[in-house]
């Protein structure tokens, strides 16, 4: 049996996304900037897609800008907001558990004279609203906190955090890459100024993303060139991927409540079964977590070996630790949550999607204890987990 349980890394494309993509790659290939009918057809279809995606998050079409992925959307939001606001100050606040697309961009700003505060998280991986209040200063220009974490699935109190940022006169950005298509998200209700998304995390193709930018915010471009995306993001638009992303979002939001309910049930059965294994701990928030994500640490094993051994048994998962890259550092997310280094090296993340079945959960629940037991009986492949 094959079980793909790595949807937080990437998802299979939905069938309507795939069909749409093929048609716009092959038949409707016009450049949307052109004048003739093939171009105009592409342009109209693309603008419909923009309207569809924007309205799915409660935005208007003029507030949605296509990018080539989630990482670009994060880079754009953070670098350009820092540039735009530099007269007011050079202090940025983020969390210690962000995706590297945010963390490395903040490091880049630090090298250029900005100061960055990395908010701590509690043992469940949540940022406290009070810690943001304490960190806010007169010169704070931007706060960036992710909506849902990609390693442990913890959901952050974005609405409360955004309101603290706003009171302090700072802009608020959220990396919502793990949330869009999986939770219902409304930019106005949350009060965020910028929001990043990525197509391949909700059934769209890889290499397409979007940044929501609140209308009043005149965010300068990251990519300079032609006048595409109303002069804010140059480069011929990836029309086929944009349309496929829109189709995928429509698919994933169709009867979302039912899907969430079904995923949650499978996830909770998975959690209940896995935590019966000796020396296993659920990581992340017990209830404020993504509906399909279950992540654990196991004493005395290396996550990477477990991922390989599970793969051999037909189950695809991920780990936060990577011995093969030669890095002795365990996941920054697990360490920020106070999980000891040795234990953090034994992490496994199962992330479920719409096509997973109860039978597949059974398969995971049979194989995982066997893999953990087997690994504990073997000498370690690398020593980092045993420190
Ligand atoms: C996957 C991911 C990204 C990066 O998105 P890409 O489209 O792969 O560049 C950013 N943030 C989070 C939380 C993610 O899970």
């Amino acid at each position: 049996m094959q079980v793909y349980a790595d949807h937080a890394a990437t998802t299979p494309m939905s069938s309507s996304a795939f069909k749409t993509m093929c048609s716009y790659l092959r038949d409707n290939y016009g450049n949307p900037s052109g004048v003739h009918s093939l171009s105009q057809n592409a342009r109209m279809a693309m603008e419909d897609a923009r309207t569809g995606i924007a309205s799915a998050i409660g935005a208007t079409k003029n507030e949605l800008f296509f990018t080539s992925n989630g990482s670009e959307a994060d880079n754009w939001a953070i670098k350009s907001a820092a540039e735009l606001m530099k007269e007011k100050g050079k202090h940025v606040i983020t969390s210690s558990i962000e995706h590297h697309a945010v963390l490395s961009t903040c490091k880049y700003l630090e090298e250029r004279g900005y100061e960055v505060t990395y908010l701590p998280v509690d043992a469940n991986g949540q940022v406290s609203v009070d810690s943001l209040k304490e960190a806010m200063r007169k010169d704070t220009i931007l706060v960036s906190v992710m909506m849902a974490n990609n390693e442990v699935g913890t959901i952050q109190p974005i609405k409360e955090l955004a309101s603290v940022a706003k009171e302090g006169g700072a802009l608020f950005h959220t990396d919502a890459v793990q949330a869009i298509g999986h939770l219902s998200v409304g930019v106005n209700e949350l009060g965020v100024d910028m929001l990043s998304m990525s197509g391949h995390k909700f059934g769209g193709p890889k290499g397409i993303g979007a940044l929501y930018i609140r209308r009043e915010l005149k965010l300068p471009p990251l990519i300079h060139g032609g006048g595409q995306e109303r002069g804010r993001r140059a480069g011929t638009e990836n029309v086929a991927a944009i349309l496929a992303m829109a189709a995928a979002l429509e698919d994933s939001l169709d009867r979302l409540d039912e899907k969430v309910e079904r995923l949650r049930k499978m996830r909770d059965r998975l959690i209940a079964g896995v935590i019966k294994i000796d020396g296993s701990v659920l990581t992340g928030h017990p209830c404020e977590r993504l509906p399909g994500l279950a992540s654990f640490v196991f004493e005395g094993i290396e996550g990477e070996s477990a991922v390989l051994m599970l793969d051999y048994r037909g189950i695809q998962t991920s780990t936060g630790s990577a011995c093969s890259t030669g890095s002795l550092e365990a996941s920054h997310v697990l360490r920020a949550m106070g999980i000891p280094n040795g234990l953090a090296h034994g992490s496994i993340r199962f992330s479920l999607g719409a096509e997973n079945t109860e039978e597949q959960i059974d398969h995971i629940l049979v194989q995982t204890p066997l893999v953990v037991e087997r690994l504990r009986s073997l000498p370690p492949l690398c020593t980092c987990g045993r420190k």
Side-chain angles (χ1 to χ4, degrees):
M1 183 185 273
Q2 285 298 314
V3 186
Y4 183 73
D6 200 15
H7 292 76
T10 197
T11 55
M13 267 173 79
S14 82
S15 47
S16 71
F18 181 72
K19 253 193 240 148
T20 305
M21 185 140 187
C22 292
S23 128
Y24 279 84
L25 283 172
R26 200 175 41 197
D27 305 321
N28 299 303
Y29 50 80
N31 183 326
S33 297
V35 174
H36 55 69
S37 53
L38 205 58
S39 286
Q40 288 306 307
N41 289 345
R43 172 147 210 102
M44 279 189 300
M46 185 175 79
E47 292 312 316
D48 283 348
R50 195 189 307 279
T51 304
I53 296 172
S55 67
I57 58 166
T60 59
K61 75 188 278 281
N62 291 341
E63 296 175 305
L64 196 85
F65 297 84
F66 295 119
T67 62
S68 62
N69 48 44
S71 300
E72 184 191 322
D74 286 341
N75 270 261
W76 184 9
I78 294 167
K79 287 177 187 167
S80 293
E83 172 67 26
L84 181 70
M85 302 281 283
K86 65 173 189 267
E87 302 305 327
K88 185 195 173 217
K90 290 191 151 192
H91 180 230
V92 173
I93 301 175
T94 188
S95 84
S96 45
I97 60 159
E98 297 296 309
H99 189 275
H100 286 294
V102 168
L103 286 181
S104 302
T105 306
C106 287
K107 288 272 175 299
Y108 170 92
L109 289 181
E110 282 179 304
E111 287 156 15
R112 278 154 187 81
Y114 289 80
E115 201 184 321
V116 180
T117 299
Y118 298 87
L119 297 177
V121 293
D122 63 18
N124 293 329
Q126 247 178 358
V127 171
S128 93
V129 178
D130 285 338
S131 76
L132 176 59
K133 279 185 191 156
E134 280 162 31
M136 289 292 295
R137 310 192 317 211
K138 270 206 189 62
D139 60 343
T140 306
I141 51 173
L142 171 68
V143 178
S144 178
V145 177
M146 71 200 319
M147 193 167 295
N149 182 266
N150 47 302
E151 284 187 37
V152 296
T154 299
I155 298 169
Q156 302 297 337
I158 295 299
K159 186 175 176 174
E160 291 75 14
L161 295 169
S163 122
V164 172
K166 191 171 180 179
E167 274 165 36
L171 295 173
F172 191 90
H173 164 253
T174 187
D175 173 341
V177 170
Q178 289 291 336
I180 298 295
H182 305 275
L183 303 170
S184 71
V185 173
V187 289
N188 292 316
E189 201 212 314
L190 292 170
V192 300
D193 297 300
M194 295 167 283
L195 174 147
S196 307
M197 67 174 85
S198 173
H200 76 103
K201 303 291 175 77
F202 55 80
K206 294 165 189 62
I208 188 70
L211 181 64
Y212 156 79
I213 308 173
R214 181 174 294 286
R215 193 187 345 238
E216 305 81 51
L217 180 58
K218 300 294 170 235
L219 199 70
L222 180 70
I223 309 279
H224 300 265
Q228 292 92 351
E229 300 294 287
R230 298 190 307 292
R232 308 283 279 283
R233 200 280 184 184
T236 302
E237 299 88 344
N238 190 347
V239 179
I242 289 168
L243 292 187
M245 173 164 73
L249 188 58
E250 199 180 320
D251 276 353
S252 51
L253 296 181
D254 177 38
R255 290 176 294 134
L256 179 66
D257 291 348
E258 267 172 55
K259 287 177 195 156
V260 163
E261 220 19 66
R262 183 176 167 271
L263 272 183
R264 236 184 226 146
K265 260 181 66 195
M266 286 200 292
R267 177 202 69 190
D268 289 344
R269 193 161 75 85
L270 177 63
I271 292 175
V274 171
I275 56 171
K276 285 189 195 139
I277 301 172
D278 273 347
S280 68
V281 182
L282 176 73
T283 55
H285 200 285
C287 43
E288 292 295 313
R289 64 188 299 133
L290 287 169
L293 201 148
S295 54
F296 306 90
V297 286
F298 299 87
E299 260 168 42
I301 69 162
E302 284 139 19
E304 200 167 60
S305 311
V307 167
L308 292 173
M309 206 175 269
L310 284 167
D311 184 33
Y312 185 71
R313 294 160 188 241
I315 301 166
Q316 282 92 47
T317 61
S318 276
T319 174
S321 81
C323 283
S324 63
T325 60
S327 115
L328 296 181
E329 298 268 281
S331 144
H332 66 286
V333 175
L334 298 178
R335 280 184 301 130
M337 289 163 58
I339 294 172
N341 217 20
L343 197 53
H345 277 290
S347 69
I348 307 179
R349 174 187 72 188
F350 299 92
S351 45
L352 307 174
E355 82 288 354
N356 287 125
T357 63
E358 295 288 351
E359 290 69 36
Q360 292 181 323
I361 303 299
D362 293 337
H363 187 61
I364 295 175
L365 289 177
V366 170
Q367 296 302 326
T368 307
L370 297 176
V371 164
V372 171
E373 192 183 333
R374 178 93 183 103
L375 283 171
R376 284 178 179 157
S377 72
L378 291 173
L381 289 179
C382 76
T383 53
C384 54
R386 301 292 167 123
K387 277 201 176 157

